Amino acid sequence: MTQKRPIFAVAPMIDWTDRHCRYFHRQISREALLYTEMVVADAIIHGPRDRLLGHDAAEHPLALQLGGSDPAKLAEAVKIAEPYGYDEINLNVGCPSDRVQSGTFGACLMLTPETVAACVAAMKAVATAPVTVKCRIGVDEQEPERALPELISRVLDAGADAIWIHARKAWLKGLSPKENREIPPLDYEIVYRMKQRWPDVFIGINGGIRTLDEAATHLAHVDGVMLGRAAYQNAAILADIDQRFFGAPASAPDWEALRDRMMTYAERHIASGGRLQHVARHMVGLFTGLPGARRYRQILSTDAAKTGAGPEVLAAAFAAVDFSGTEQEAVSA
């Protein structure tokens, strides 16, 4: 089975793409595939499952990203996650953080493709949703032209349904996770070549993609495009996805309706014991480039963090934005 959708996704990002972020993004795009933060298999087996795996039904289509290197534990985590109804289960073979390396998973797994294949086979044996892999093009001194196709070949033989490739190497020593997202040079061409080599397999691309025009360019060569920081830091970019890539009717974003839905959601979260800041922190970059965006950011960054802050803070922030203005440089906002 090969996965042919989606063609657009918001990348899994630790500390960012939690359930509140995903609910917010879903209000802007109905079609984009959303990903959880990476959840370690051990945490699912031994930790608070509802907190780790629970989500709002509105978040679908939604993928769960798992971290781990023990096939048995990953299979158990997949079985535990089954009732939560995820649309895809993704194995992280790309995260370069020290925390992940100490657990012998993430990007360092590229050094042991046979282990990745065993993990995929174990996950496929118990999963009903598609099982996918997100990887780098290589790590450290690996030669990507050899390491990447070897990994792909092995995981496809193990039953993987799709491959997402972050088009950079990861340097496990000497670079921080932030530097690993920026310093290793991008090599989109090697991802294109992997698609040419496996034309019937869903292969998606990730890394350094900032605009929907760039996304469209990549889609001439691969099946899917994944945006990370660009989608998080300026979530309004998601407003054009459904029309541009999924054939939805063209329409102007209804920001007032978004405000009202997020106020209702925030009220629900606060009533259950949460804080407005848990929701509002993901909304700060929404109106980058519009008049009033600076004041909008100030309100969300300061007032939403105050004890007892309620949904009215969101209303005040939205009221600061001039939606009649044309898009300007963020510095003028």
Side-chain angles (χ1 to χ4, degrees):
M1 170 184 155
T2 55
Q3 181 181 343
K4 287 301 183 184
R5 287 194 57 174
I7 61 169
F8 190 97
V10 178
M13 292 173 279
I14 293 176
D15 297 327
W16 287 6
T17 53
D18 64 17
R19 64 177 72 185
H20 308 304
C21 172
R22 300 190 306 263
Y23 185 91
F24 168 54
H25 284 172
R26 178 59 66 222
Q27 306 314 304
I28 307 174
S29 169
R30 292 180 180 274
E31 299 290 347
L33 175 67
L34 304 180
Y35 277 78
T36 69
E37 303 170 87
M38 182 188 67
V39 187
V40 178
D42 272 328
I44 292 174
I45 295 168
H46 303 293
R49 295 171 183 180
D50 282 344
R51 183 173 68 78
L52 293 170
L53 297 172
H55 56 272
D56 193 289
E59 294 174 37
H60 293 277
L62 177 62
L64 169 65
Q65 187 181 67
L66 294 178
S69 59
D70 184 314
K73 289 181 178 180
L74 283 163
E76 186 174 354
V78 170
K79 287 190 284 188
I80 293 169
E82 184 74 20
Y84 291 87
Y86 285 94
D87 301 295
E88 174 189 325
I89 308 294
N90 179 265
L91 179 62
N92 184 320
V93 190
C95 181
S97 77
D98 292 339
R99 181 172 54 174
V100 167
Q101 289 184 55
S102 67
T104 322
F105 54 92
C108 61
L109 280 174
M110 295 208 66
L111 296 168
T112 56
E114 66 280 1
T115 300
V116 183
C119 291
V120 169
M123 294 164 68
K124 280 292 293 182
V126 297
T128 57
V131 172
T132 68
V133 170
K134 186 171 187 288
C135 64
R136 293 283 184 129
I137 62 172
V139 297
D140 295 342
E141 302 299 335
Q142 278 187 324
E143 173 48 59
E145 292 290 353
R146 283 190 290 187
L148 182 57
E150 180 182 1
L151 178 75
I152 293 173
S153 180
R154 284 179 178 267
V155 300
L156 291 178
D157 287 345
D161 295 292
I163 313 291
W164 287 96
I165 304 171
H166 185 146
R168 282 187 175 98
K169 266 190 174 185
W171 289 92
L172 303 178
K173 294 183 175 15
L175 292 182
S176 69
K178 181 177 185 296
E179 290 169 332
N180 260 301
R181 292 192 298 266
E182 298 169 350
I183 292 177
L186 287 157
D187 186 353
Y188 295 133
E189 295 294 331
I190 193 172
V191 183
Y192 299 166
R193 290 195 293 276
M194 296 305 102
K195 178 58 189 176
Q196 292 167 357
R197 182 164 173 174
W198 284 280
D200 296 327
V201 175
F202 180 104
I203 291 181
I205 198 167
N206 171 228
I209 304 167
R210 305 295 304 178
T211 69
L212 297 190
D213 284 343
E214 291 176 23
T217 297
H218 289 300
L219 286 172
H221 304 280
V222 294
D223 304 301
V225 171
M226 181 180 280
L227 266 66
R229 286 167 294 160
Y232 186 90
Q233 294 167 351
N234 181 17
I237 196 173
L238 302 175
D240 293 328
I241 289 169
D242 295 358
Q243 182 268 326
R244 183 157 184 178
F245 299 125
F246 294 93
S251 61
D254 189 339
W255 298 123
E256 290 185 357
L258 172 66
R259 174 200 64 198
D260 293 345
R261 290 194 298 270
M262 292 310 299
M263 288 177 67
T264 299
Y265 177 81
E267 187 172 24
R268 236 176 19 240
H269 176 61
I270 293 167
S272 68
R275 299 184 59 193
L276 178 65
Q277 186 181 27
H278 299 157
V279 177
R281 73 184 185 97
H282 301 297
M283 303 173 62
V284 172
L286 178 59
F287 296 121
T288 298
L290 287 183
R294 179 174 297 152
R295 180 61 184 144
Y296 169 88
R297 293 192 294 272
Q298 289 172 341
I299 292 171
L300 288 189
S301 299
T302 57
D303 294 355
K306 294 177 180 176
T307 301
E312 67 278 359
V313 173
L314 300 185
F318 273 71
V321 182
D322 178 5
F323 296 111
S324 67
T326 56
E327 190 168 339
Q328 302 175 8
E329 293 295 322
V331 72
S332 70

